[in-house]
Amino acid sequence: MLGVQTLLISNAAGGVNANFKVGDLMIITDHISMFIINPLLGKNEDSLGTRFPDMSEPYSKKLISKAKKIAQQSGYDLKEGIYCGVTGPTFETHAEYKLIKIIGADAVGMSTVQEVITAVHAGMRVFAMSIITDVGIREEDNKITHEEVLAAAAEAEPKMTALFKELIAQL
Ligand code: HPA
């Protein structure tokens, strides 16, 4: 309604890629949305978008490539990967983290996917990035707390803000 054409999203996510560590930034290149209620269920709002939206490029390849260039120039190490959307509010069990890894995701979180589906339906281009705030596939003691998530997000936030600022400048 406001005429937004580009949507930039950030989130906190749990890592399920064994190469990820707490504090990593991950560009989302694609997502898996089979664990959430699709926000487009129900009568379609034709004035916003089509009944059956294409999802072949939910995350703009152009924006991803711009962000990678910015990170390279700034000396930031950026991961990239697939984000699996879940409803929460529980964090995942060991078995669920394992399943999410097996189906091809690198990170898991409770937001973003619904927003991206809605934005793509309305014709927006999207860029999204996760802060890996916990690692779900640790075999040993793997308690995850909201406090741990908040602390990791706060620590990585300045790097993410710098990246987003530069990306916005280049839109
Ligand atoms: N799982 C789901 N959502 C999350 C996580 C997680 O491990 N960390 C931050 N948001």
Side-chain angles (χ1 to χ4, degrees):
M1 300 305 172
L2 294 171
V4 174
Q5 291 173 344
T6 305
L7 181 67
L8 308 183
I9 301 180
S10 65
N11 62 47
V16 294
N17 180 322
N19 297 319
F20 288 2
K21 56 184 188 327
V22 170
D24 277 348
L25 294 181
M26 182 191 92
I27 292 178
I28 302 180
T29 56
D30 207 347
H31 71 222
I32 297 172
S33 85
M34 282 175 294
F35 298 114
I36 62 155
I37 309 269
N38 194 300
L40 301 181
L41 277 178
K43 188 177 178 310
N44 188 53
E45 188 58 65
D46 293 331
S47 63
L48 290 178
T50 177
R51 168 74 294 188
F52 298 106
D54 172 62
M55 279 286 155
S56 58
E57 193 187 330
Y59 302 88
S60 159
K61 287 193 177 125
K62 263 198 187 144
L63 293 178
I64 289 172
S65 130
K66 261 190 213 290
K68 280 162 83 168
K69 253 189 219 136
I70 293 166
Q72 216 171 22
Q73 284 158 1
S74 318
Y76 292 158
D77 172 40
L78 271 195
K79 306 282 195 273
E80 55 186 287
I82 296 169
Y83 176 96
C84 177
V86 293
T87 64
T90 47
F91 291 112
E92 286 63 45
T93 64
H94 277 295
E96 287 164 347
Y97 280 121
K98 216 186 252 179
L99 170 74
I100 288 164
K101 180 179 154 76
I102 287 169
I103 63 173
D106 299 285
V108 52
M110 304 175 196
S111 64
T112 300
V113 171
Q114 298 92 328
E115 294 139 21
V116 172
I117 290 174
T118 313
V120 170
H121 175 248
M124 294 179 209
R125 59 179 192 160
V126 174
F127 174 80
M129 191 182 271
S130 297
I131 297 178
I132 303 299
T133 54
D134 51 275
V135 175
I137 47 164
R138 292 175 295 200
E139 280 303 332
E140 65 291 358
D141 181 24
N142 197 35
K143 275 213 162 71
I144 294 170
T145 65
H146 186 47
E147 287 67 32
E148 175 189 358
V149 167
L150 289 179
E155 200 165 319
E157 183 269 333
K159 208 159 55 164
M160 180 179 262
T161 301
L163 262 160
F164 270 65
K165 273 191 177 159
E166 189 51 37
L167 188 60
I168 290 165
Q170 291 187 24
L171 284 180

